Amino acid sequence: MKIRTRFAPSPTGYMHIGNLRTALYCYLIAKHNQGDFILRIEDTDQQREVEGATDMIYQVLEETGLHYDEGPHKDGGVGPYIQSQRLDLYHHYAQKLIDLGGAHYCFCESNDNNIDPCTQLSEKEIEMKLSQNIPYVIRQTIPQTGTTSFEDEVYGYIEVENQTLNEGILIKSDGYPTYNFAHVIDDHLMKITHVVRGNEYLSSTPKYNLTYETFGWDKPTYIHLPPVNKDETHKLSKRNGDASYQDLKEQGYLKEAIINYIALLGCSFGDNEILSLNDLIEQFDIKHISKAPAIFDIEKLKWMNETYLRKLSLQDFHQLVFPYYQHITQDIDFLELSLVLQPRLEKLKDIETMTDFINKPYPFDVSLYTHKKMKTNPETSLKVLQLIEKHLKDFDNFTNDDLLVQLFISLAKDNGLKNGQVMWPIRVALTNKSLTPGGAVEIIHILGQDESLKRIHQAIIDLTLYIQRKKEIE
């Protein structure tokens, strides 16, 4: 039998991490076994539906490479693939389930009892209430004896006593089905062989199986996934504002890094953790899914994102980051900037703060010129910058990093200085920042001769004024 999995999200907001992981595992299970991956939109909870969320689902799946074989825009003969377009089907099977004794009409305004009193109504009483247009729901009828069991691929054998199961609503008073009913009908009609979902559905699965059994249908293989937690005790939750796929993209994480990292949340793939989507398809094994909750570690994701950025060729990296240079108004060597950023960048959103000194340096801060490790202070820095300014005016190759390095090393040696005593004041003069992408040579290359000399000259003025005022106070 050909394996068929389905990703069935509700359009109630952004694609949160747990939801995307479910989609990924559904995709990997199908593709690892040359099967089909189906997309179904479960929009029966109309009150919670968010405008634009369905389009967001399509966009994320397309962007991440999780292309579905059947779905709203790819009819495979078992559609429609949007539940709100399948209402007639649910009503047909709900009536059939009533006829088979697996469900019943319930006219109660509320029902908190395990046993619904409406199960005791005669057919005549039911017909009378229906003819009087008394509002009703259709509830599942649960046997009060016996047990229901199933085998889960992750959690193993599970058995519950039927009397512990509540008679949940299958069709609401507004005519829309609940998840508890609609997904069973859809999974059967769409020939889904493997159902992948969060482990919060483990306790409800026996009720779903009772519906399968009443209809006489084959049950799917169940794969319930452990939760993704923010820490040891708290789950990630979009309701609590935890990161969604869109949030991570906005922060500058690459889609490849996000998918790669999410795949590792609850499943092992051996020693190599940097895996393309094709690698994940080839290596995925249901047996390697863990029962334990996975902890979402943002530092691990940063490391993975850095790794993907480093793997790019310089040209590809430059093409990727160039749109993030739009805030830069100076005429600079952008390729050199990319060369400097690539080994240092964690995520794309950091580019602006890493390069904000390019348009203009930060305000003068004399404290930056004192650096114990570099053995610098304002007085020594002033002398170095005066020396550098003099030699840079006659230097004619600001794009040759090797020649710039040789110049600075020679000046340090000829004047009895350490290399750091020359490099550090230059870096501060050019940026007025303690942390910069690259050192003095790279920054000079990026800014060019005119801008570099302009900033060094201004730093000389600022240091001179500071030292003069200091002497006056003393």
Side-chain angles (χ1 to χ4, degrees):
M1 179 185 293
K2 190 174 188 179
I3 284 181
R4 288 170 63 84
T5 65
R6 49 74 168 169
F7 176 51
S10 299
T12 56
Y14 290 113
M15 183 79 77
H16 64 88
I17 297 305
N19 220 17
L20 182 56
R21 185 188 62 171
T22 299
L24 176 60
Y25 284 9
C26 287
Y27 180 84
L28 296 179
I29 290 168
K31 296 307 164 187
H32 181 76
N33 295 281
Q34 293 78 49
D36 292 330
F37 172 58
I38 292 91
L39 173 64
R40 184 172 73 227
I41 304 298
E42 298 194 342
D43 62 341
T44 57
D45 192 344
Q46 297 284 293
Q47 292 183 341
R48 291 183 59 222
E49 186 170 346
V50 173
E51 185 178 355
T54 299
D55 289 335
M56 189 72 73
I57 292 166
Y58 300 147
Q59 178 187 331
V60 172
L61 293 182
E62 178 67 25
E63 193 172 289
T64 55
L66 306 183
H67 305 302
Y68 56 89
D69 300 294
E70 296 177 27
H73 304 296
K74 284 187 179 180
D75 188 8
V78 291
Y81 296 86
I82 297 176
Q83 284 188 334
S84 60
Q85 299 172 11
R86 298 170 63 85
L87 298 184
D88 289 345
L89 276 171
Y90 304 133
H91 284 273
H92 168 76
Y93 281 98
Q95 185 59 57
K96 191 172 181 180
L97 193 62
I98 291 173
D99 295 341
L100 292 170
H104 62 273
Y105 291 102
C106 175
F107 302 91
C108 301
E109 289 188 10
S110 63
N111 181 20
D112 298 324
N113 301 316
N114 279 344
I115 300 177
D116 183 354
C118 289
T119 58
Q120 307 304 314
L121 294 174
S122 66
E123 286 189 22
K124 186 175 181 180
E125 289 173 312
I126 292 171
E127 289 176 6
M128 183 183 69
K129 288 179 181 293
L130 290 174
S131 67
Q132 294 173 346
N133 292 321
I134 296 175
Y136 68 87
V137 299
I138 296 177
R139 287 186 182 275
Q140 186 171 13
T141 303
I142 303 288
Q144 293 305 299
T145 59
T147 62
T148 298
S149 62
F150 67 96
E151 191 79 27
D152 183 76
E153 293 296 300
V154 177
Y155 291 90
Y157 180 76
I158 294 174
E159 181 180 65
V160 299
E161 294 185 8
N162 291 333
Q163 65 179 2
T164 65
L165 303 174
N166 71 312
E167 297 190 321
I169 294 174
L170 304 182
I171 302 290
K172 295 176 287 185
S173 58
D174 63 2
Y176 278 83
T178 62
Y179 170 83
N180 293 335
F181 184 60
H183 88 274
V184 174
I185 304 305
D186 291 341
D187 287 346
H188 171 72
L189 295 179
M190 293 181 179
K191 300 179 174 62
I192 303 302
T193 62
H194 290 65
V195 169
V196 185
R197 58 188 172 216
N199 69 356
E200 65 267 26
Y201 291 102
L202 274 171
S203 60
S204 302
T205 299
K207 294 194 296 184
Y208 310 150
N209 281 347
L210 286 171
T211 300
Y212 278 106
E213 290 169 3
T214 302
F215 280 123
W217 295 341
D218 292 334
K219 304 180 192 71
T221 297
Y222 292 115
I223 303 156
H224 287 88
L225 306 177
V228 180
N229 287 3
K230 66 168 71 176
D231 53 40
E232 296 296 333
T233 55
H234 298 92
K235 288 184 180 180
L236 282 178
S237 169
K238 62 180 176 182
R239 293 182 184 178
N240 294 332
D242 292 323
S244 66
Y245 170 79
Q246 288 85 354
D247 292 331
L248 294 176
K249 277 297 300 301
E250 189 176 328
Q251 291 170 31
Y253 292 97
L254 303 184
K255 60 187 179 183
E256 297 87 354
I258 297 171
I259 286 293
N260 189 165
Y261 180 65
I262 288 175
L264 304 181
L265 290 174
C267 189
S268 60
F269 288 84
D271 295 332
N272 185 14
E273 293 187 310
I274 303 300
L275 301 164
S276 68
L277 188 56
N278 286 335
D279 294 332
L280 294 172
I281 291 170
E282 183 180 341
Q283 298 182 30
F284 187 81
D285 190 335
I286 295 171
K287 294 177 182 177
H288 294 160
I289 298 175
S290 170
K291 295 179 184 178
I295 305 297
F296 186 84
D297 182 356
I298 195 68
E299 295 303 319
K300 179 73 172 287
L301 177 57
K302 284 181 184 177
W303 167 81
M304 191 162 280
N305 203 57
E306 290 176 27
T307 303
Y308 272 89
L309 290 171
R310 308 292 182 272
K311 286 174 64 178
L312 295 172
S313 68
L314 176 59
Q315 290 299 329
D316 287 343
F317 178 83
H318 184 61
Q319 185 175 3
L320 173 69
V321 300
F322 193 77
Y324 293 84
Y325 295 158
Q326 299 307 307
H327 65 285
I328 298 174
T329 56
Q330 290 279 0
D331 182 16
I332 65 165
D333 187 333
F334 285 102
L335 185 61
E336 175 70 10
L337 178 59
S338 294
L339 181 65
V340 169
L341 285 177
Q342 187 171 12
R344 298 169 174 85
L345 190 64
E346 283 186 344
K347 53 188 189 298
L348 300 177
K349 195 174 182 180
D350 295 340
I351 291 174
E352 186 165 354
T353 56
M354 293 175 75
T355 60
D356 56 3
F357 68 90
I358 292 177
N359 286 341
K360 61 179 181 179
Y362 274 41
F364 174 70
D365 182 355
V366 71
S367 67
L368 294 175
Y369 287 94
T370 299
H371 195 301
K372 288 185 178 180
K373 185 178 178 182
M374 300 296 180
K375 297 182 179 179
T376 63
N377 58 43
E379 289 76 15
T380 59
S381 296
L382 176 58
K383 293 177 182 177
V384 165
L385 292 177
Q386 290 170 333
L387 182 67
I388 292 298
E389 182 183 36
K390 177 183 175 182
H391 284 81
L392 281 183
K393 284 181 178 178
D394 300 325
F395 191 75
D396 59 1
N397 200 337
F398 276 68
T399 61
N400 192 316
D401 290 358
D402 291 336
L403 290 179
L404 276 168
V405 170
Q406 290 174 21
L407 172 66
F408 295 151
I409 290 176
S410 297
L411 288 174
K413 184 178 180 182
D414 294 344
N415 290 273
L417 300 169
K418 301 285 187 181
N419 291 340
Q421 288 178 294
V422 172
M423 300 295 193
W424 182 255
I426 298 173
R427 183 195 294 204
V428 174
L430 296 173
T431 66
N432 280 321
K433 290 181 70 172
S434 58
L435 296 174
T436 59
V441 170
E442 290 97 338
I443 295 171
I444 284 179
H445 187 158
I446 291 167
L447 295 176
Q449 182 175 15
D450 292 344
E451 184 65 21
S452 297
L453 284 170
K454 175 183 172 183
R455 295 187 184 193
I456 289 172
H457 185 70
Q458 184 60 50
I460 290 171
I461 293 172
D462 292 334
L463 282 169
T464 301
L465 290 173
Y466 167 78
I467 292 169
Q468 287 174 351
R469 283 195 295 268
K470 182 180 175 184
K471 286 180 180 179
E472 290 172 1
I473 293 171
E474 293 174 348

